[in-house]
Structure formats: C-alpha cells, structure tokens
Amino acid sequence: MVEVARWEHRTRRLSRLFGSPYLACYCLGFIIILLNVYRSHSMTVAMKAQGRWEVMDRTDVFYAGVALMVLGTVLVVSSFLSLGFIGTFLGDYFGILMDEKVTGFPFNITENPMYWGSTANYLGLALIGASPVGLVLTAIVAVAYKVAIRFEG
Ligand SMILES: *[C@@H]1O[C@H](CO)[C@@H](O)[C@H](O)[C@H]1NC(C)=O
C-alpha cells in the first residue's frame, strides 16, 4: 500500500484518474480498510481452525489479551481522531498537506500509534484465543509494519 502511495506521489496517476487527490485518497483508504477487515477475518478463521492451546489457555493470559485490545483500540481510535481520514491514509503522499505535525496524544507515546495499536489488537486477539497461529500471524503483521515504517520514514 505504501508502494502504491509512493507511486502516486511520483506520478499523480490516481489523482488524475479520480479527478481529485481527495477522492483518490478516500478510495485508497477504503481499499486499505477492506484489506484490514479481510486480514482480521482470515486471522480469526485460521485461529478457529487450529483450536485453543492449553498452555496459553489461562485466565491471566486472557486478561492480558483483553488489556492489549483495549490499549490497541485506544491507540488506533485516538490516532484516527487526531489525524482524520486523509491524514490516516497517507494524505501527504497525495499532496494534501496537514496544517502541522500532530504531536499530542497518542503521538507523544509512539510515532506510529496506528501500526502499534493494530499490532496490540492482533496480539490481544491471539492471547484471548489461546492461539499459537495467532501469535505467528501477529509477528508477521508486526514485521510488515516495521518495514512499512522504514519506507515511510
Ligand atoms: C501525552 O499527552 C497527553 C494529553 O496531552 C498527556 O495526558 C500525557 O501525559 C502525555 N504523555 C506523555 C508520555 O507525555
């Protein structure tokens, strides 16, 4: 997705295709949301298929998972609220500049609250489901985000 946004930044093809950088960014954002929903769904299906692992099937692990999902949701929602739709979905690649760099919560805790919030959500889901497959998939998501952050930086 970052690659698509970079290509857009170079060529402005999507903006021209949609007639407006805003519309292009909204469409790309919508596709990113759909892909995220699909990814969460696939992870749930994979976890269900494998079943619960008794080593992880404990009350404290369960509550750690709930806490992570609360933390992740707070990070994702507060990030979205302070960036807005355009800012969240890489508006700056489309040449729509934010007024100023957002520095308040949650950006004073982590530079990429969207990515780390989503990772916390996936990890929480894996713990609640007592799922080794969930842990592996969470690790893959975390690595993918780390790579994305490098490219964006
Ligand atoms: C981040 O900002 C929020 C709200 O302005 C504040 O309550 C919180 O203490 C800050 N956290 C850090 C680690 O600076």
Side-chain angles (χ1 to χ4, degrees), residues 45-92:
V45 169
M47 282 169 47
K48 278 221 177 92
Q50 196 194 33
R52 303 176 71 85
W53 184 34
E54 66 264 30
V55 175
M56 281 175 73
D57 205 354
R58 302 156 38 128
T59 327
D60 49 356
V61 171
F62 178 85
Y63 283 116
V66 172
L68 276 170
M69 287 199 76
V70 171
L71 173 74
T73 304
V74 168
L75 285 178
V76 168
V77 170
S78 60
S79 166
F80 186 81
L81 290 180
S82 56
L83 286 181
F85 191 96
I86 298 285
T88 299
F89 296 107
L90 310 169
D92 46 343

Side-chain angles (χ1 to χ4, degrees), residues 104-105 108-109:
F105 183 84
N108 63 353
I109 297 187

Side-chain angles (χ1 to χ4, degrees), residues 101-108:
K101 193 169 159 65
V102 183
T103 51
F105 183 84
F107 293 89
N108 63 353

Side-chain angles (χ1 to χ4, degrees), residues 133-153:
V133 166
L135 290 183
V136 172
L137 293 176
T138 301
I140 294 172
V141 168
V143 169
Y145 280 151
K146 252 204 121 90
V147 172
I149 289 168
R150 267 199 122 110
F151 271 100
E152 282 176 16

Side-chain angles (χ1 to χ4, degrees), residues 98-125:
M98 306 274 295
D99 296 337
E100 53 196 48
K101 193 169 159 65
V102 183
T103 51
F105 183 84
F107 293 89
N108 63 353
I109 297 187
T110 159
E111 271 198 31
N112 298 283
M114 223 13 128
Y115 288 164
W116 298 124
S118 310
T119 307
N121 280 334
Y122 283 115
L123 184 57
L125 200 63

